[in-house]
Amino acid sequence: MNKNTKLIAVGLGVLLLAAWGKTFSTTRQNGVRYASEMETGSDYMTRGLYEKAAQTFLSAAGYRNTAEAHQRALEAYEQAYLEDRHTYRAYKKAAEEAVERHPENKVFLEKLVKLLINEKEYTSAYRYLSKATGEARTDDKMRKLRKEVLYSFQLDWKRYLDYRPLSEGYYAVSEDGSWDYLNADGVSDQSEGLSMAGPVGEKGIRLIVNDSRAMLIGKGGMPEGYVSGTPSDAGVYREGLIPLKIGGTYAFYDLLGDKQFGAYKHASAFTGGKAAVEEGNGWFLIDRTGKRISENSYEDIRLNPDGSCMNRGVMLAKQNGVYYLWNDKEKKISEEGFEDADCVTADHGIAVKKNGKWGFVNEKGRELLPAIYEEAKSFSCGLAGAKEGESWGFIDSDGDVVISPQFTQVDYFNKKGNCLVKPYDGWSFLTRNVKE
């Protein structure tokens, strides 16, 4: 090793030793400052200077990023927030920093989420819960909190006397005897004042009665046809035909409002060239000419919220006092029958009654959730109405109650995450705070 090489080696050694010494000194100094700030913060807490204490604990965390420093800061801000909600932003920032630096700490996440809920920032709360890792995600308490936030809601102040289920993205609702249309978000399309409003069908076609005149209109409101007589009920326009009840019976009419055929007790909308009708003492299926195509007769056929008798190739129909699942060839899908049944929706959970209680099966008749409910509605958009005692709430696909029983009646959730419910004095529009 030559002289220059030796000098370089010695120089590097000196530099490394100096750097280590400086790091050790800085670490020691930071430890002293951390302890001092923690002690000072504790003193501020005993004096009731909560916001000042919180800032001091955060200063301590700057010297040593410990969970204890962040915990004490959040406890101080919580007290300050209780006294003065104007400290919200500072509290929120401190909680966000604690969650960011300690992502697996469920206590920090819970404090942040509950603060956001209190300020009605539900979407932000759910975002933090969804991003959680480790125990902050898997803990049962945090899982329940995540569902609590996801299914939180608010009710519109308006009340409706009656409604028709969602069809083609719209509800028909009656307020003080006049009818209007609401979209899936509960926003009116300004059709109020109608004497009657039927469900919306293909291409926006629906029946309305205005000034005692019944007409079929499209999306733009232009009359497509006039109907002779005054319907007392209307089904969904589909495949060129609409069932209307005039003079006590249902018949099918075309777009011009001309009667085509029928005098039925009840009638569904057409789907796949088939409709269900009740005539005499039984139900059966017909084609678009009115010809009977069923070999079977049924005591009842359950109609779905969209006015159809069949959904995803499945029909609920009653024979010999028992409801069965049938396919589009009118063959039993399963030999297991049910005392009662709700309807077939786009979801895979069909509400059925067995041994006096309601549970859920899939479209093959296999049990999804046991029959333990007083009453139930089929799943729609991941939720199902379930009755406990005298009140209705909602469960998810795990069977967990996510909206507590508090309504006298409920409808089905739509794809926007909203639903019509009846609190006590009329139907109201329920809007979920978090949209997935």
Side-chain angles (χ1 to χ4, degrees):
M1 182 181 293
N2 60 38
K3 186 176 181 180
N4 289 336
T5 303
K6 288 181 178 179
L7 289 172
I8 291 172
V10 171
L12 288 173
V14 171
L15 288 173
L16 286 172
L17 186 61
W20 179 84
K22 183 177 181 180
T23 300
F24 177 79
S25 176
T26 300
T27 302
R28 184 173 178 279
Q29 289 176 5
N30 284 348
V32 172
R33 290 168 181 166
Y34 171 84
S36 175
E37 292 290 69
M38 291 294 287
E39 184 178 349
T40 302
S42 297
D43 180 58
Y44 288 151
M45 284 291 288
T46 60
R47 296 172 183 274
L49 300 171
Y50 301 122
E51 191 171 5
K52 196 169 184 177
Q55 293 171 358
T56 306
F57 288 131
L58 288 177
S59 176
Y63 294 116
R64 281 189 180 176
N65 179 32
T66 67
E68 181 187 6
H70 288 288
Q71 173 73 25
R72 298 296 304 278
L74 295 187
E75 289 172 353
Y77 267 129
E78 185 174 12
Q79 293 299 319
Y81 178 70
L82 290 173
E83 291 186 348
D84 183 1
R85 291 186 60 172
H86 289 96
T87 59
Y88 164 65
R89 292 188 181 279
Y91 185 10
K92 177 185 175 184
K93 184 178 179 181
E96 289 174 331
E97 182 180 339
V99 169
E100 181 181 351
R101 294 196 177 191
H102 301 274
E104 295 188 4
N105 190 308
K106 63 181 182 182
V107 175
F108 295 165
L109 180 61
E110 183 179 1
K111 282 186 176 295
L112 172 58
V113 168
K114 288 189 173 181
L115 174 64
L116 292 169
I117 292 173
N118 198 54
E119 292 290 328
K120 303 190 185 305
E121 294 189 26
Y122 300 100
T123 301
S124 294
Y126 185 68
R127 185 176 68 250
Y128 277 106
L129 286 165
S130 299
K131 291 193 305 182
T133 59
E135 190 179 4
R137 183 172 186 84
T138 59
D139 180 75
D140 187 57
K141 184 177 181 181
M142 300 309 294
R143 184 182 67 85
K144 290 180 179 178
L145 183 58
R146 187 160 55 248
K147 287 191 176 186
E148 177 187 332
V149 174
L150 179 59
Y151 298 112
S152 63
F153 65 89
Q154 54 187 323
L155 289 178
D156 185 34
W157 62 270
K158 278 193 174 182
R159 295 291 185 267
Y160 303 102
L161 299 177
D162 198 4
Y163 78 101
R164 299 183 189 278
L166 185 78
S167 179
E168 298 295 324
Y170 284 90
Y171 300 91
V173 294
S174 171
E175 183 183 9
D176 298 328
S178 64
W179 287 80
D180 189 12
Y181 288 97
L182 306 179
N183 67 17
D185 285 317
V187 178
S188 169
D189 79 343
Q190 306 302 314
S191 297
E192 64 262 37
L194 301 174
S195 302
M196 178 183 171
V200 177
E202 289 178 346
K203 301 177 182 178
I205 303 298
R206 68 268 200 190
L207 177 104
I208 65 168
V209 178
N210 197 9
D211 297 328
S212 300
R213 192 170 194 184
M215 66 185 80
L216 293 167
I217 64 171
K219 287 183 179 179
M222 181 183 75
E224 299 282 352
Y226 293 99
V227 178
S228 178
T230 302
S232 58
D233 191 23
V236 178
Y237 175 85
R238 197 174 290 133
E239 299 181 10
L241 293 168
I242 182 171
L244 299 177
K245 186 178 183 181
I246 300 177
T249 60
Y250 286 87
F252 286 90
Y253 291 74
D254 65 15
L255 186 56
L256 292 173
D258 295 331
K259 181 177 177 180
Q260 299 302 296
F261 56 84
Y264 308 111
K265 292 182 179 179
H266 293 95
S268 77
F270 273 93
T271 303
K274 300 174 183 178
V277 296
E278 183 184 15
E279 186 178 64
N281 294 320
W283 286 76
F284 52 89
L285 300 185
I286 60 172
D287 66 16
R288 293 184 65 257
T289 68
K291 178 182 176 182
R292 176 173 178 155
I293 57 175
S294 285
E295 294 182 4
N296 300 334
S297 289
Y298 307 97
E299 296 158 30
D300 185 28
I301 294 178
R302 287 294 191 212
L303 303 189
N304 303 317
D306 65 355
S308 67
C309 64
M310 194 167 295
N311 197 335
R312 296 182 288 111
V314 180
M315 178 176 74
L316 280 166
K318 185 179 184 182
Q319 278 190 342
N320 301 318
V322 180
Y323 284 90
Y324 295 96
L325 295 169
W326 307 77
N327 64 22
D328 56 1
K329 305 297 183 185
E330 293 187 72
K331 304 297 182 184
K332 287 180 184 176
I333 295 173
S334 170
E335 287 299 321
E336 182 180 12
F338 310 104
E339 298 162 22
D340 203 349
D342 185 39
C343 65
V344 183
T345 65
D347 279 23
H348 296 285
I350 302 168
V352 294
K353 188 178 183 181
K354 296 189 294 184
N355 300 318
K357 295 287 187 177
W358 287 76
F360 298 86
V361 298
N362 65 14
E363 62 270 22
K364 300 295 184 184
R366 300 190 184 100
E367 183 178 281
L368 297 177
L369 293 173
I372 59 174
Y373 303 99
E374 296 296 320
E375 199 171 339
K377 288 182 173 288
S378 297
F379 274 91
S380 180
C381 299
L383 297 175
K387 191 176 184 181
E388 183 179 311
E390 297 299 318
S391 299
W392 285 83
F394 289 92
I395 61 172
D396 65 7
S397 58
D398 295 324
D400 292 336
V401 176
V402 293
I403 296 178
S404 63
Q406 57 194 281
F407 308 112
T408 58
Q409 293 184 53
V410 297
D411 190 43
Y412 305 88
F413 270 89
N414 62 45
K415 291 180 180 179
K416 295 293 187 72
N418 307 317
C419 180
L420 278 167
V421 297
K422 194 172 186 180
Y424 51 90
D425 59 346
W427 292 91
S428 182
F429 207 79
L430 180 155
T431 303
R432 280 172 53 190
N433 295 315
V434 178
K435 309 295 183 183
E436 291 183 282

